[in-house]
Amino acid sequence: MTSVKLSKLAGLFLGAVLGDVHSLYWRFCILKPRHHWSLDDGLLSSLNTCSGKLCYSYVTELMLLLAEEVLENGQVIPESLATRFACRAKLGKDVRCYDRTLALLFRSIRRGIPWEAANREVNTLSDTSNCAAAARVTPITIYFSDLTDIIEETTKQALVTNYNEYAVEGALIYAAAQYMVIKGIVGPDLVHKLLKYVDKRAFRIRLIAIPKLLNEEPKTVAKVIGNSSKAYEAVPAAIYCYLRSGGNPLKAIKYSVSLGGNVSDIAIMASSLAAAESGISNKIFRTIRNVENSNVLLNILQSLISVKLGKSTDLSILTS
């Protein structure tokens, strides 16, 4: 594997974390689409209340736990992952921003309810068509080399929390997008090739619209694609913000904020794709070093890439 591909894989993971920490503040706000796209640095709003370090949300927390799952078991074992999520999620830490549905599921499992029964009950009571399963999928895309394996493992991890066809398809489309960007498929070609993995009309009409909207203002994009947490809106919106950014993760985050709505999840996915295209940078590394549990983040990333390479990998070579 070349240093360029190594940099792209690191960018995929750390770009997601970057999007999380730089958009966390907006999880506590309701944002409308701006009149115009903005690249104001003030849109990068982090919280440094985690022992003086930059905080991350539940997305990065679950992403780390998903990485542990595949590193320990070589695959996603649904019961194992459900238990890992439920037992390790910091539900009482406000800055993690767990939504009511995830919190209910994890607390049910903690009370001893079998995860499948808890999952069925929660998914019957709540709308789980959100993009949570998509936003955390990055470790699978890094760990597995074959797209068939990525699709299988992405489906399993999605169903652990989101027994919903839109949530699962959103995760599959986003994982396929990550895979393709690592392979160098970018720009309009990316959207065209992604359509092969689209089943639901709600995704197809939004993805097809993306190239036609690249010169439009946020309100128009939000009206056509949407900006909610629904997977069929958030995943296409993230791909839009990524393509508009030209592979610049900070621009991708700012465009996500400009779009309004479910800013943070869209920013996480858009920034990950952008950093995967451009590769990791010293600036991203410096930011990650100031994030809570940064050593854990980097050690897990190093382990994921080492498995991919089949040999020990030192991430420091990317910043030398």
Side-chain angles (χ1 to χ4, degrees):
M1 182 181 292
T2 65
S3 60
V4 172
K5 189 168 184 182
L6 179 61
S7 179
K8 288 176 176 290
L9 289 170
L12 197 68
F13 188 91
L14 298 181
V17 179
L18 185 78
D20 197 354
V21 300
H22 275 325
S23 65
L24 182 58
Y25 173 82
W26 301 116
R27 284 193 183 274
F28 298 89
C29 307
I30 299 175
L31 290 184
K32 294 182 179 180
R34 292 174 172 254
H35 293 291
H36 305 288
W37 299 103
S38 174
L39 292 176
D40 185 345
D41 285 342
L43 299 182
L44 304 177
S45 295
S46 307
L47 297 175
N48 62 350
T49 57
C50 297
S51 301
K53 295 287 189 176
L54 300 177
C55 305
Y56 52 72
S57 77
Y58 77 94
V59 175
T60 294
E61 182 162 89
L62 296 186
M63 187 171 74
L64 291 173
L65 294 174
L66 177 58
E68 287 183 7
E69 173 73 17
V70 296
L71 285 168
E72 290 181 16
N73 297 320
Q75 63 174 314
V76 172
I77 301 174
E79 184 175 5
S80 171
L81 183 61
T83 302
R84 191 184 301 269
F85 280 173
C87 293
R88 301 272 297 281
K90 293 182 172 62
L91 300 179
K93 193 168 185 176
D94 290 344
V95 76
R96 290 291 187 260
C97 300
Y98 278 96
D99 65 26
R100 185 184 67 85
T101 301
L102 278 177
L104 177 61
L105 173 62
F106 294 163
R107 289 192 172 106
S108 296
I109 295 171
R110 287 179 182 181
R111 291 198 302 270
I113 299 175
W115 80 270
E116 288 180 298
N119 202 349
R120 283 196 300 271
E121 180 178 356
V122 168
N123 279 270
T124 298
L125 296 173
S126 307
D127 179 4
T128 58
S129 62
N130 59 64
C131 64
R136 67 174 183 251
V137 78
T138 301
I140 288 176
T141 315
I142 297 175
Y143 185 89
F144 295 96
S145 298
D146 187 84
L147 184 54
T148 302
D149 292 333
I150 291 172
I151 289 172
E152 179 181 352
E153 300 302 321
T154 294
T155 301
K156 289 194 292 184
Q157 72 85 24
L159 289 171
V160 166
T161 55
N162 296 73
Y163 201 77
N164 179 282
E165 56 190 0
Y166 290 103
V168 173
E169 184 164 333
L172 293 176
I173 293 170
Y174 180 59
Q178 290 186 318
Y179 174 85
M180 291 178 190
V181 171
I182 291 295
K183 295 290 186 182
I185 301 170
V186 297
D189 283 348
L190 174 65
V191 174
H192 176 72
K193 290 185 180 296
L194 281 175
L195 292 175
K196 176 183 177 181
Y197 302 94
V198 175
D199 178 53
K200 301 295 182 188
R201 182 176 180 274
F203 287 101
R204 182 173 296 276
I205 60 175
R206 288 170 170 83
L207 289 172
I208 290 174
I210 287 175
K212 305 172 186 176
L213 294 169
L214 289 175
N215 293 319
E216 298 292 341
E217 296 295 348
K219 286 189 175 181
T220 300
V221 177
K223 184 177 181 180
V224 176
I225 294 178
N227 59 7
S228 77
S229 63
K230 304 292 187 185
Y232 53 81
E233 292 188 6
V235 171
I239 293 170
Y240 174 90
C241 291
Y242 150 62
L243 291 176
R244 188 178 184 90
S245 78
N248 183 315
L250 293 179
K251 283 186 177 180
I253 297 167
K254 293 172 184 177
Y255 290 148
S256 300
V257 178
S258 297
L259 188 59
N262 178 36
V263 167
S264 195
D265 290 332
I266 294 171
I268 288 167
M269 293 186 283
S271 177
S272 174
L273 292 173
E277 178 183 333
S278 59
I280 200 66
S281 68
N282 286 327
K283 187 172 185 178
I284 292 178
F285 253 115
R286 286 196 299 272
T287 300
I288 297 301
R289 286 292 186 189
N290 197 36
V291 173
E292 60 170 320
N293 302 318
S294 60
N295 287 337
V296 174
L297 287 165
L298 293 172
N299 286 339
I300 284 181
L301 172 59
Q302 187 163 292
S303 296
L304 287 168
I305 294 178
S306 293
V307 170
K308 186 105 166 184
L309 287 170
K311 62 181 181 180
S312 180
T313 303
D314 185 356
L315 294 179
S316 64
I317 66 174
L318 296 175
T319 57
S320 58

